[in-house]
Amino acid sequence: MSVKENLTKVKSQIKESVTLVAVSKFHPTSAILEAYNEGQRIFGESRVQELQLKAKELPEDVRWHFIGHLQTNKVKAVVPLVEMIHAVDSERLLLEINSAAAKANKVVSCLLQIHIAKEETKYGFAFDECKRLVANIDLLQLTNVRIVGLMGMATLTEDDQQIRDEFRSLRVFMAELKSECMAHIDYFSELSIGMSDDFQLAIEEGSTMVRIGSTIFGTREY
Ligand SMILES: *Cc1c(COP(=O)(O)O)cnc(C)c1O
């Protein structure tokens, strides 16, 4: 199937209210253009150099989302190019993004990445760490970042119930954060959960934003 057909199929499976991030990492600009010509504008990339090259080649109105782990020393390169950063997992990174965005004279939407899966990983806040961050720093003082929500990845498992439980725990947690952080209506309203293998479960559990790669573009060759 072509990118065009895959995209049409995916779109028919997600609700209108759910934002589709077409994850184009490792795929050529020609594939991105195919999706672009079908009206898709939001694309997700996870490597800095690849994003820089693609942003240069593709139309200005592409809305790039950086979805991978971002090192603080790469923030300056990424911030001018993107609308949203999905995997903010430290206070230091958040502060770097804020200052780079101030220099670039823009506001970058950010999602705090929470570690919900059973697999060990260095990335993502634990629930209590995230709570501490939100309690301890005045997010509204960071004028060039907007903390629009949370992002998470479920365990790689065949057990749908486990995946649901993990997604649900994130939704419940975000509701808690939102009630404690009444200051700004835009804050903590997006839930970036769901990838090719689990986006339908994620939508049933309250996803507002799905990040779908291989189902649209085919398998990646690393
Ligand atoms: C690669 C990637 C995706 C897309 O994964 P697929 O299984 O190909 O849909 C989504 N989110 C993140 C953070 C990724 O790195």
Side-chain angles (χ1 to χ4, degrees), residues 96-114:
E96 285 293 330
I97 295 169
N98 186 60
S99 75
K103 287 197 186 95
N105 204 16
K106 71 190 284 189
V107 176
V108 175
S109 294
C110 291
L111 300 168
L112 302 178
Q113 182 182 5
I114 311 288

Side-chain angles (χ1 to χ4, degrees), residues 21-27 44-46 66-69 86-87 113 151-153 156 192 194-199 210-220 222:
V21 180
V23 176
S24 48
K25 65 187 188 195
F26 293 90
H27 292 284
E45 290 286 338
S46 61
F66 196 84
I67 62 169
H69 176 68
H86 282 239
Q113 182 182 5
M151 179 271 222
M153 281 181 273
L156 263 177
S192 171
M195 312 183 5
S196 287
D197 290 337
D198 57 19
F199 71 88
V210 289
R211 309 177 310 273
I212 300 180
S214 42
T215 301
I216 296 171
F217 295 108
T219 50
R220 289 179 286 274
Y222 294 101

Side-chain angles (χ1 to χ4, degrees), residues 72-73 75 88-98 133:
T72 47
N73 63 351
V75 166
V88 177
D89 65 353
S90 73
E91 178 174 339
R92 179 157 166 251
L93 180 58
L94 188 63
L95 298 176
E96 285 293 330
I97 295 169
N98 186 60
L133 171 82

Side-chain angles (χ1 to χ4, degrees), residues 13-15 18 160-161 164 167-168 171 191 193-194 198-208 210:
Q13 292 171 330
I14 66 180
K15 293 194 271 191
V18 173
D160 284 2
Q161 192 55 49
R164 272 184 197 285
F167 285 153
R168 194 170 305 164
R171 175 166 48 95
L191 203 50
I193 50 175
D198 57 19
F199 71 88
Q200 277 148 328
L201 290 177
I203 291 169
E204 286 170 27
E205 296 302 333
S207 174
T208 66
V210 289

Side-chain angles (χ1 to χ4, degrees), residues 57-216:
E57 281 183 40
L58 287 156
E60 290 258 348
D61 65 340
V62 167
R63 295 158 58 190
W64 296 104
H65 285 203
F66 196 84
I67 62 169
H69 176 68
L70 180 58
Q71 290 171 279
T72 47
N73 63 351
K74 301 282 175 65
V75 166
K76 278 197 198 76
V78 166
V79 158
L81 304 176
V82 299
E83 164 181 276
M84 192 179 292
I85 295 176
H86 282 239
V88 177
D89 65 353
S90 73
E91 178 174 339
R92 179 157 166 251
L93 180 58
L94 188 63
L95 298 176
E96 285 293 330
I97 295 169
N98 186 60
S99 75
K103 287 197 186 95
N105 204 16
K106 71 190 284 189
V107 176
V108 175
S109 294
C110 291
L111 300 168
L112 302 178
Q113 182 182 5
I114 311 288
H115 180 220
I116 51 173
K118 290 285 175 291
E119 291 109 4
E120 289 290 325
T121 160
K122 324 184 271 238
Y123 304 134
F125 290 104
F127 287 129
D128 60 335
E129 280 175 342
C130 181
K131 227 172 180 173
R132 232 174 295 136
L133 171 82
V134 172
N136 290 343
I137 65 172
D138 184 357
L139 299 177
L140 293 175
Q141 294 272 51
L142 304 177
T143 51
N144 294 78
V145 287
R146 187 174 293 139
I147 319 294
V148 294
L150 302 179
M151 179 271 222
M153 281 181 273
T155 304
L156 263 177
T157 172
E158 300 285 300
D159 183 351
D160 284 2
Q161 192 55 49
Q162 183 177 347
I163 296 171
R164 272 184 197 285
D165 290 346
E166 290 170 1
F167 285 153
R168 194 170 305 164
S169 72
L170 197 57
R171 175 166 48 95
V172 168
F173 180 65
M174 189 163 81
E176 255 176 69
L177 288 183
K178 195 170 175 70
S179 69
E180 288 167 21
C181 182
M182 289 299 285
H184 203 297
I185 194 97
D186 294 340
Y187 279 50
F188 299 114
S189 51
E190 297 282 356
L191 203 50
S192 171
I193 50 175
M195 312 183 5
S196 287
D197 290 337
D198 57 19
F199 71 88
Q200 277 148 328
L201 290 177
I203 291 169
E204 286 170 27
E205 296 302 333
S207 174
T208 66
M209 195 172 265
V210 289
R211 309 177 310 273
I212 300 180
S214 42
T215 301
I216 296 171

